[in-house]
Amino acid sequence: MPLDLLPVSAAPAACCTPATSTAISEQDAVQLARTLKALADPARLRLLSLIAAHDGAEACVCDLIEPVGLSQPTVSHHLKVLTDAGLITRDKRGVWAYFALVPGALDSVTTHLGAHLTGSAA
């Protein structure tokens, strides 16, 4: 029984395409993942929204507890995570802590995502 063989191509087919833009650095990926992890919680997103909704994008912790329906220690924990991620700042005034959005922090997240995951600068 004769065996029909397929012709062999003279030039090997390219299996990979060259990168056309710079990939995210390891350090930036670690920082962005940390920030996204902080954002990936409904209570934290709600807290950011509540802070942004206040005059001057700043709110006292006393104004944040009831709307999210969580205990004070839990709200404080979430606020600490957001502060550590660089999304908000904390300012102690007497016995109260005030939290404010860091200008440009969320823009930085969307810029990194746009630049490194869609191939174009945001």
Side-chain angles (χ1 to χ4, degrees), residues 1 11 17 20 23 30 37 45 47 59 62-63 73 85 90-91 100 116 119-120:
M1 171 186 293
T17 58
T20 58
V30 168
K37 186 176 178 181
L45 287 173
L47 287 166
C62 63
D63 296 324
R90 180 181 183 271
D91 181 32
H116 296 294
S120 62

Side-chain angles (χ1 to χ4, degrees), residues 21-24 32 36 106-122:
S21 62
T22 306
I24 192 169
L32 183 58
L36 291 173
L106 292 175
D107 292 335
S108 175
V109 172
T110 57
T111 297
H112 271 86
L113 289 174
H116 296 294
L117 299 181
T118 66
S120 62

Side-chain angles (χ1 to χ4, degrees), residues 68-110:
V68 293
L70 299 171
S71 68
Q72 183 275 324
T74 301
V75 170
S76 291
H77 165 74
H78 287 306
L79 291 168
K80 181 176 181 349
V81 170
L82 292 169
T83 302
D84 290 347
L87 296 167
I88 60 175
T89 59
R90 180 181 183 271
D91 181 32
K92 183 85 167 161
R93 298 180 195 159
V95 297
W96 297 109
Y98 286 78
F99 293 88
L101 297 179
V102 171
L106 292 175
D107 292 335
S108 175
V109 172
T110 57

